Amino acid sequence: MDGRAAAAAGPGQAAVESGGGAGPGRRPTRLVSGAAGPVASAAAAAGGTGASAAGSRQPSMEALDRSSRLRTRPTGSHVEWCKQLIAATISSQISGSMPSDSVSREYRVYRRPTIREIQDGHNGYPSDAEVDQALRDGNKLAQMEEAPLFPGESIKAIAKDVMYICPFIGAISGTLTVTDFKMYFKNVERDPHFVLDVPLGVINRVEKIGVQSHGDNSCGIEIVCKDMRNLRFAYKQEEHRLEIFQNLITRAFPLSHGLPLFASSYKEKFPVNGWKVYDPMAEYKRQGLPNESWKISKINSMYELCDTYPAILVVPTSVKDDDLSRVAAFRAKGRVPVLSWIHPESQATITRCSQPLVGPNDKRCKEDEKYLQTIMDANAQSHKLFIFDARQNSVADTNKAKGGGYESESAYPNVELIFLEIPNIHVMRESLRKLKEIVYPTIDESRWLSNVESTHWLEYIRMLLAGAVRIADKIESGKTSVVVHCSDGWDRTTQLTCLAMLMLDSHYRTIKGFEVLLEKEWMSFGHRFALRVGHGDDDHADADRSPIFLQFIDCVWQMTKQFPAAFEFNELFLITILDHLYSCLFGTFLYNSEHQRIKEEIPTRTVSLWSYINSQLDEFSNPFYVNYENHVLYPVASLSHLELWVNYYVRWNPRMRSQMPIHQNLKELLAIRTELQKRVEELQREAATRSISSSSDRGSSPVATPVHTSV
């Protein structure tokens, strides 16, 4: 669990300053990371906790029937035994398990009896008692090797005597099971059992490799994963073993083979319905909308204005639908400027959109120009509008030559255009590839810092945080409205608006507030999760893939390190979100837009990730959280204040794991905090009772003597 020690930021205690321009109802305080002073910060660790931890697993009791592949719900003491097994495997380095074939009573193997056995009348065949014992031993082994299953999950193939070539502890022989959700490998001869549990959704590609020095296991495959690890297996070239790897490819890339994603089969029941976390009308009402300057529009209720935008939009009150349609025609993909967040006092706004279609001939659109002027006029405290273009200036010029472009200050008076110089999705994909090369499977300790620097990953994290700080500062200190866009407005734009809103609004720093932020800015506003992640698609070389959402979560983690007490959630919360970004267990991150999710009936056919998380909030809560309501966070966007997120990127390396059980320790601290809060409430009630009693006593006395108590 991720611990938060104080209101201080990262390496130094937070400097608390009065925010400029606060109205009587809101007194914002600036929390600036990196100011002088000590800070007690609890380390966060959740390495190795992956998608397999979600929900309750249901191990089966029966041996595999190859034709039906069915499993039944276990009962009695076997359930308790399985619970212990699952708990043990989750706490170990990885997870997995396999069933063995059942032993038939009718199939007895002859062996030559010894002289003593001949003298004793033994005929060379096992006795009934020996067969019974063999059955019991076989069933026990089968139960130990069985793969625990989620509700709705079924086994598709099993292969024994498969060799997992572990880069850390060497070759391990075991049983490999492929279900319609996961790949599950288990060796029961080791103590503790070695278990590898990999959701198929994390698989990026499967490649055949040559294998040497592994006996009869002459065939091999390498499984390249999206979560910073590669897995290698060796096996005998036999038909039934080849079958399991064909099943692996089919089930890892279901959409490429005409099959549905597993999320539609997952039947876990949770006490909380995560699909109800985000209600756009409720969220806009929380922000004080609609008001005299901004209205809630349903022009996109049928997704006809823009099919990658949500059905409900917030636009300037004076803008007519016809004008909005003309603006949509002038913006890439029809993504018009719409409100994301409004300051409760100054009414300065964050508005998001895509690039204008200016083109090489500097085409203009009077409706678009008037529209941006209306956005500026909606904020009476400023007569200027800042447009933050996330792109590099040179790339924006290239886009302009191809029909895109940016707002010229000559066509848009009172507008200042700022390029944030953030590279595109292809650069980010290459950066992550380089990072994976240096963290898995081996780490060059002598060149660690220079290798990390060579990936430029932290530099890109710095650029995103620096851009978000500039946006937040214009809103908070400058009381000026801002417009944010990149090319299409669904990658870097979302990263920047989300980070700025996280800095400005303490509500988004709570668990449920953060869930709302993701649902609103990422899911409903059309980040292309299916294309960027490649859910169920075997085209690993697709140029549309990029770790945009991973980068954003990394930025959030950097903020939690600099402000350890400002976030209600812990590190495990962020890692769990990333694990299920890939797992395809939940419907939360599937498809590219709200329109597609509605069309595919995702809210009714799948389970929300928030159902799982909100059903066990203690697992994801920060025991050091302090609700800094109305405090604005300004993280230090400097490489000297950033660090590589080892507990995520290097978590598969057992040598890099924390030596202390931090997650359990922080859970205990959370329990202690809860008890202390209860005690404080009891003492407050006692004090209130005594105060009332004392007041009544003084009322009946002719003279009351005041008592002054100093604390």
Side-chain angles (χ1 to χ4, degrees):
M1 259 191 172
D2 194 12
R4 308 288 174 253
Q13 191 175 14
V16 181
E17 306 170 3
S18 173
R26 182 179 190 264
R27 303 184 63 180
T29 303
R30 294 165 48 131
L31 294 188
V32 183
S33 173
V39 58
S41 176
T49 302
S52 61
S56 62
R57 292 295 185 90
Q58 297 185 356
S60 94
M61 288 185 63
E62 301 174 357
L64 174 67
D65 179 345
R66 277 191 177 273
S67 61
S68 64
R69 318 291 193 201
L70 296 179
R71 281 291 185 270
T72 59
R73 183 187 296 270
T75 57
S77 60
H78 184 62
V79 172
E80 297 305 317
W81 183 88
C82 285
K83 286 181 179 178
Q84 295 172 15
L85 173 62
I86 294 167
T89 56
I90 287 176
S91 64
S92 69
Q93 56 180 3
I94 335 179
S95 345
S97 113
M98 304 307 139
S100 65
D101 298 331
S102 59
V103 180
S104 171
R105 279 183 176 273
E106 303 304 319
Y107 184 69
R108 302 186 182 188
V109 179
Y110 177 84
R111 62 176 175 79
R112 184 183 298 277
T114 65
I115 295 176
R116 180 178 294 277
E117 288 174 335
I118 293 173
Q119 292 172 347
D120 293 340
H122 200 293
N123 61 5
Y125 287 95
S127 66
D128 287 345
E130 289 173 323
V131 170
D132 288 339
Q133 182 61 44
L135 281 170
R136 285 193 293 271
D137 292 344
N139 288 338
K140 182 178 180 181
L141 179 62
Q143 290 175 2
M144 292 175 68
E145 291 183 332
E146 281 183 349
L149 303 177
F150 285 123
E153 183 181 8
S154 60
I155 293 175
K156 300 303 175 184
I158 293 178
K160 293 182 177 297
D161 299 324
V162 174
M163 191 81 70
Y164 169 53
I165 308 171
C166 179
F168 308 112
I169 59 178
I172 305 166
S173 180
T175 307
L176 182 64
T177 301
V178 171
T179 75
D180 47 1
F181 170 66
K182 66 174 174 287
M183 178 183 68
Y184 193 78
F185 175 87
K186 186 168 187 179
N187 173 292
V188 297
E189 297 174 358
R190 287 178 173 262
D191 187 19
H193 298 162
F194 181 88
V195 183
L196 184 68
D197 189 340
V198 182
L200 298 179
V202 309
I203 296 177
N204 191 40
R205 69 179 186 270
V206 180
E207 298 177 346
K208 290 185 178 181
I209 58 173
V211 178
Q212 298 177 349
S213 304
H214 289 293
D216 294 334
N217 297 306
S218 58
C219 299
I221 61 167
E222 180 171 30
I223 299 171
V224 180
C225 298
K226 301 169 185 175
D227 61 356
M228 308 299 289
R229 57 178 163 168
N230 293 350
L231 308 170
R232 289 189 171 192
F233 291 92
Y235 57 95
K236 297 177 183 177
Q237 192 167 4
E238 298 175 2
E239 184 176 346
H240 72 281
R241 286 180 174 81
L242 295 174
E243 174 195 354
I244 193 169
F245 293 109
Q246 184 56 48
N247 268 282
L248 174 64
I249 292 171
T250 301
R251 296 293 167 174
F253 311 113
L255 298 184
S256 297
H257 293 86
L259 297 172
L261 295 168
F262 178 72
S264 61
S265 301
Y266 180 46
K267 304 303 180 185
E268 188 84 21
K269 301 295 182 184
F270 295 99
V272 178
N273 184 356
W275 293 118
K276 294 184 178 180
V277 161
Y278 175 55
D279 176 354
M281 297 299 290
E283 169 58 16
Y284 287 128
K285 182 179 179 181
R286 185 191 70 83
Q287 294 188 32
L289 299 166
N291 59 25
E292 61 182 13
S293 300
W294 295 89
K295 67 180 180 181
I296 292 177
S297 171
K298 296 186 178 179
I299 186 176
N300 201 42
S301 60
M302 301 302 293
Y303 305 101
E304 292 179 348
L305 179 74
C306 175
D307 62 359
T308 61
Y309 262 8
I312 295 175
L313 305 173
V314 177
V315 299
T317 304
S318 61
V319 175
K320 297 178 181 179
D321 287 355
D322 289 345
D323 291 338
L324 203 57
S325 297
R326 293 187 182 94
V327 173
F330 188 67
R331 291 280 168 173
K333 305 297 191 295
R335 295 173 68 88
V336 301
V338 293
L339 182 143
S340 280
W341 189 81
I342 185 169
H343 194 287
E345 295 299 328
S346 68
Q347 302 295 293
T349 59
I350 296 177
T351 305
R352 60 179 296 168
C353 60
S354 61
Q355 65 179 334
L357 302 179
V358 176
N361 297 324
D362 291 318
K363 188 171 76 172
R364 296 177 61 171
C365 174
K366 65 178 182 180
E367 288 83 8
D368 191 81
E369 294 166 12
K370 181 181 178 182
Y371 189 90
L372 292 192
Q373 180 67 37
T374 305
I375 290 174
M376 186 191 70
D377 293 341
N379 174 16
Q381 298 202 40
S382 176
H383 298 290
K384 196 167 188 178
L385 181 69
F386 284 90
I387 297 178
F388 286 92
D389 191 325
R391 297 170 294 180
Q392 295 167 301
N393 196 336
S394 59
V395 173
D397 285 332
T398 302
N399 290 157
K400 183 178 178 182
K402 296 178 180 179
Y406 47 87
E407 298 84 356
S408 67
E409 296 180 8
S410 60
Y412 295 84
N414 303 315
V415 164
E416 182 174 337
L417 178 65
I418 299 172
F419 287 101
L420 294 177
E421 302 293 330
I422 300 172
N424 62 26
I425 63 171
H426 312 295
V427 174
M428 302 308 178
R429 180 177 60 248
E430 178 64 12
S431 177
L432 184 66
R433 185 194 64 78
K434 291 179 180 178
L435 180 61
K436 182 176 179 177
E437 283 185 351
I438 70 165
V439 301
Y440 192 93
T442 58
I443 293 173
D444 185 348
E445 297 287 351
S446 63
R447 296 182 175 85
W448 171 247
L449 294 177
S450 59
N451 283 345
V452 171
E453 182 183 13
S454 68
T455 69
H456 301 293
W457 184 258
L458 288 179
E459 171 61 17
Y460 300 143
I461 296 295
R462 184 201 67 77
M463 295 176 76
L464 285 169
L465 285 171
V469 166
R470 294 179 71 177
I471 293 168
D473 190 54
K474 290 296 181 187
I475 295 284
E476 180 63 35
S477 302
K479 303 182 181 62
T480 308
S481 294
V482 302
V483 174
V484 184
H485 70 68
C486 47
S487 297
D488 295 317
W490 49 44
D491 290 318
R492 288 164 287 188
T493 298
T494 308
Q495 291 174 321
L496 292 166
T497 59
C498 259
L499 289 171
M501 292 160 69
L502 201 61
M503 296 171 191
L504 290 163
D505 194 334
S506 61
H507 173 67
Y508 297 130
R509 301 195 286 267
T510 66
I511 291 177
K512 293 185 179 178
F514 190 77
E515 293 168 356
V516 167
L517 182 66
L518 298 189
E519 287 284 350
K520 177 178 178 293
E521 291 296 297
W522 288 89
M523 282 67 141
S524 77
F525 274 100
H527 176 66
R528 309 175 89 189
F529 282 105
L531 285 174
R532 296 292 180 257
V533 177
H535 293 135
D537 184 3
D538 62 2
D539 186 7
H540 63 85
D542 189 345
D544 280 324
R545 295 197 185 182
S546 189
I548 298 301
F549 186 74
L550 168 61
Q551 269 190 322
F552 163 72
I553 295 294
D554 193 331
C555 288
V556 175
W557 180 80
Q558 302 288 346
M559 289 179 64
T560 67
K561 294 294 287 184
Q562 294 193 27
F563 300 96
F567 294 83
E568 187 184 22
F569 48 81
N570 60 25
E571 183 182 51
L572 178 60
F573 177 74
L574 298 177
I575 291 176
T576 300
I577 288 173
L578 288 177
D579 282 339
H580 292 297
L581 168 69
Y582 306 122
S583 75
C584 296
L585 183 63
F586 301 101
T588 303
F589 299 111
L590 302 185
Y591 297 97
N592 292 319
S593 65
E594 179 181 290
H595 184 205
Q596 289 185 2
R597 292 184 196 95
I598 295 297
K599 184 179 179 181
E600 297 293 333
E601 301 178 332
I602 291 300
T604 56
R605 293 176 54 240
T606 70
V607 179
S608 168
L609 172 59
W610 317 132
S611 298
Y612 166 63
I613 286 178
N614 295 343
S615 296
Q616 45 185 337
L617 289 174
D618 284 355
E619 289 289 327
F620 307 104
S621 297
N622 170 21
F624 302 110
Y625 170 63
V626 177
N627 184 7
Y628 292 120
E629 189 174 4
N630 300 329
H631 284 51
V632 176
L633 307 183
Y634 288 120
V636 175
S638 165
L639 287 176
S640 63
H641 283 68
L642 302 179
E643 58 184 281
L644 186 69
W645 188 5
V646 170
N647 282 344
Y648 179 76
Y649 297 113
V650 203
R651 60 178 166 155
W652 306 118
N653 188 331
R655 301 182 186 94
M656 298 295 287
R657 294 209 182 102
S658 171
Q659 300 296 309
M660 299 293 292
I662 294 175
H663 178 70
Q664 183 60 36
N665 290 349
L666 293 182
K667 284 182 67 177
E668 292 170 1
L669 284 174
L670 194 64
I672 293 171
R673 169 177 167 159
T674 301
E675 289 300 318
L676 289 174
Q677 287 175 333
K678 289 180 180 177
R679 182 58 181 154
V680 168
E681 291 170 0
E682 290 173 2
L683 291 172
Q684 288 174 337
R685 285 194 294 269
E686 290 178 12
T689 302
R690 290 176 183 174
S691 177
I692 294 171
S693 175
S694 176
S695 298
S696 61
D697 290 343
R698 286 198 299 271
S700 61
S701 303
V703 178
T705 304
V707 178
H708 300 280
T709 304
S710 60
V711 179

